């Protein structure tokens, strides 16, 4: 393996629009396309091959491969402009790499089939907007689309704190500053404190990983900024539960109050195949922080939130995951079996019959 061969493999991945590339010892490179893992016909990789790939990526990030490395995130760019988010790790004592392809174009809400209500949500003057979902289900792409909308329509100072930087922005109406953890700053907590001294209007934090970052995000919202971030949760209620559960019991009531006051919306995503099997589309739960939902958060009545989302379709543009799945099934965009694959509900078919 040399740099030329490595880049050729990545260029093929970028051109074929696969979502991920896997480099693992004793296997040829794998590509994930349309949700399926595809084994390439290239030679099997040796330990020195994956070590070379890891070294090349880290050197491009001005880092060295530490012999004690267990796992590390980074980014990588091809000469032709293709970009990747990289996860480097050890398995059975040798190095493995998974590289996520970052699309070159930041899609609009319409291009990404995202609900039009997002254009209303991002107009909030301040507060906390969260994008959630399992790994690889479009959180980063959705966040980038939100920032694109702000960049094209508002004169804001936007600061992103990412690990690593994924989508590259060019300032339009807004001024955009992008900082990468490990290169430009020590961590999310330190970068958030610094961001408040950088005259921000909008702050985007790649992920709320710990109580310190969660608290700093809420503080930034409380001081009049619009804050975006992500969590690996699957619904609005589970997101709120996860946030509050990060704190000791004696402060959870205060955190519920703060979160209720500052939360603007939670957008939860899952990706599904359309009926053709050729395209991947988002299924989106949208919760907006109405007075009723704020009361549920303050009182800890999280089990009631889904019902309030269901009832907020017409007035607030909210929707549950099941409501969106039913809509996509009725429009014959996705198959019922695909909808049943991702829903938490045991009675999706009954709901489909009731609404048809």
């Amino acid at each position: 393996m040399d740099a030329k061969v490595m880049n050729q493999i990545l260029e093929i991945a970028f051109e074929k629009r696969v979502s991920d590339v896997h480099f693992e010892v004793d296997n040829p490179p794998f590509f994930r396309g349309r949700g399926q893992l595809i084994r390439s016909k290239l030679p099997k990789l040796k330990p020195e091959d994956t070590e070379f790939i890891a070294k090349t990526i880290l050197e491009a990030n001005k880092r060295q491969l530490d012999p004690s490395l267990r796992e590390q995130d980074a980014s990588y760019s091809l000469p032709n402009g293709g970009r990747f988010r990289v996860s480097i790790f050890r398995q059975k004592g040798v190095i493995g790499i998974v590289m996520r392809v970052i699309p070159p174009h930041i899609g609009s809400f319409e291009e990404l089939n995202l609900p039009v209500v997002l254009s209303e949500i991002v107009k909030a003057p301040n507060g906390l907007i969260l994008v959630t979902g399992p790994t690889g289900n479009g959180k980063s792409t959705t966040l980038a689309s939100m920032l694109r909308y702000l960049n094209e329509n508002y004169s804001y100072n936007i600061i992103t704190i990412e690990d690593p930087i994924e989508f590259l922005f060019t300032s339009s109406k807004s001024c955009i500053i992008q900082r990468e953890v490990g290169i430009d700053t020590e961590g999310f907590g330190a970068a958030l404190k610094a961001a408040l001294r950088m005259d921000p209007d909008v702050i985007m934090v790649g992920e709320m990983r710990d109580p310190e970052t969660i608290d700093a995000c809420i503080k930034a919202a409380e001081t009049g900024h619009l804050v975006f971030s992500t969590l690996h949760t699957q619904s609005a209620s589970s997101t709120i539960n996860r946030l509050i559960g990060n704190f000791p019991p004696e402060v959870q009531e205060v955190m519920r109050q703060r979160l209720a006051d500052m939360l603007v919306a939670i957008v939860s995503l899952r990706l599904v195949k359309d009926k053709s099997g050729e395209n991947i589309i988002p299924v989106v739960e949208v919760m907006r922080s109405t007075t009723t939902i704020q009361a549920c958060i303050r009182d800890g009545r999280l089990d009631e939130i889904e019902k309030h989302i269901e009832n907020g379709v017409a007035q607030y543009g909210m929707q549950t995951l099941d409501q969106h799945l039913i809509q996509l099934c009725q429009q014959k965009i996705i198959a019922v079996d695909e909808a049943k694959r991702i829903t938490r509900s045991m009675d999706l078919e009954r709901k489909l019959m009731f609404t048809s």
Side-chain angles (χ1 to χ4, degrees):
M1 178 70 68
D2 57 29
K4 182 179 178 181
V5 172
M6 170 186 157
N7 284 342
Q8 284 175 340
I9 294 170
L10 295 177
E11 284 168 3
I12 291 169
F14 197 75
E15 289 166 5
K16 297 294 184 182
R17 298 186 178 183
V18 303
S19 63
D20 299 88
V21 187
H22 294 238
F23 296 107
E24 295 172 13
V25 172
D26 293 330
N27 281 308
F30 280 83
F31 301 98
R32 185 176 294 279
R34 296 171 187 160
Q36 301 297 315
L37 203 59
I38 303 161
R39 187 184 185 96
S40 74
K41 296 180 180 179
L42 296 166
K44 291 183 179 180
L45 297 166
K46 300 175 182 177
E48 52 266 33
D49 294 324
T50 57
E51 184 171 330
F52 173 82
I53 294 168
K55 281 182 177 179
T56 302
I57 291 166
L58 290 173
E59 286 172 2
N61 287 267
K62 299 179 181 178
R63 304 178 195 173
Q64 298 297 316
L65 179 61
D66 189 335
S68 64
L69 177 140
R70 297 292 182 267
E71 56 271 320
Q72 189 165 357
D73 294 330
S75 60
Y76 186 71
S77 297
L78 292 170
N80 66 4
R83 279 180 58 78
F84 300 81
R85 183 182 72 200
V86 186
S87 175
I88 303 170
F89 54 89
R90 284 194 184 273
Q91 58 135 351
K92 295 182 288 187
V94 295
I95 290 174
I97 304 105
V98 176
M99 302 181 69
R100 166 65 51 86
V101 178
I102 300 173
H105 171 67
I106 300 172
S108 65
F109 298 143
E110 183 178 9
E111 290 168 337
L112 297 173
N113 296 303
L114 293 168
V116 294
V117 71
L118 296 192
S119 63
E120 293 297 320
I121 288 171
V122 298
K123 292 176 183 176
N126 56 65
L128 182 63
I129 297 173
L130 299 176
V131 180
T132 78
T135 300
N137 274 258
K139 296 187 297 296
S140 297
T141 303
T142 300
L143 266 183
S145 184
M146 290 175 162
L147 295 184
R148 168 185 163 167
Y149 183 89
L150 295 178
N151 187 30
E152 291 176 346
N153 292 281
Y154 294 91
S155 299
Y156 285 160
N157 184 27
I158 301 172
I159 299 170
T160 79
I161 306 163
E162 304 172 69
D163 184 19
I165 290 173
E166 296 188 45
F167 292 91
L168 295 176
F169 286 89
T170 300
S171 297
S172 181
K173 281 193 173 182
S174 291
C175 172
I176 301 184
I177 298 168
Q178 294 185 264
R179 306 190 71 204
E180 181 165 326
V181 172
I183 295 178
D184 304 311
T185 180
E186 290 183 3
F188 285 114
L192 268 163
K193 291 176 184 177
L196 295 178
R197 298 190 294 270
M198 296 165 63
D199 187 32
D201 298 295
V202 176
I203 302 171
M204 190 276 273
V205 179
E207 185 182 346
M208 295 203 294
R209 295 178 176 174
D210 50 55
E212 180 190 16
T213 306
I214 295 168
D215 183 61
C217 284
I218 295 175
K219 280 181 180 175
E222 289 170 334
T223 52
H225 306 95
L226 184 60
V227 180
F228 294 83
S229 193
T230 72
L231 276 93
H232 295 289
T233 48
Q234 298 194 32
S235 67
S237 57
S238 65
T239 299
I240 296 165
N241 197 42
R242 173 78 64 82
L243 287 172
I244 301 302
N246 269 276
F247 295 89
E250 62 270 18
V251 300
Q252 288 185 3
E253 183 176 351
V254 173
M255 293 307 300
R256 282 199 300 269
Q257 298 284 341
R258 294 175 67 198
L259 187 60
D261 289 342
M262 287 298 105
L263 190 61
V264 174
I266 298 175
V267 179
S268 300
L269 298 154
R270 295 294 297 273
L271 296 180
V272 297
K273 292 181 183 178
D274 68 2
K275 274 194 167 182
S276 72
E278 297 294 314
N279 302 302
I280 302 294
I281 60 173
V283 183
V284 189
E285 178 178 277
V286 179
M287 188 209 80
R288 302 180 73 178
S289 188
T290 64
T291 302
T292 305
I293 287 176
Q294 285 177 325
C296 288
I297 297 172
R298 289 192 184 97
D299 299 340
R301 294 181 282 115
L302 303 186
D303 57 328
E304 299 178 19
I305 287 178
E306 186 168 5
K307 180 60 67 177
H308 293 307
I309 296 173
E310 288 179 349
N311 295 334
V313 175
Q315 187 173 0
Y316 301 108
M318 293 195 281
Q319 63 187 21
T320 65
L321 189 81
D322 279 2
Q323 283 176 319
H324 197 194
L325 284 170
I326 289 168
Q327 178 188 342
L328 293 170
C329 287
Q330 289 175 334
Q331 293 172 343
K332 302 190 185 303
I333 295 173
I334 67 171
V336 173
D337 285 347
E338 181 71 355
K340 289 165 67 176
R341 182 180 66 83
I342 70 161
T343 182
R344 303 183 301 275
S345 172
M346 300 298 290
D347 59 351
L348 182 72
E349 285 182 297
R350 182 187 63 80
K351 290 181 180 180
L352 276 167
M353 291 174 61
F354 185 75
T355 57
S356 60

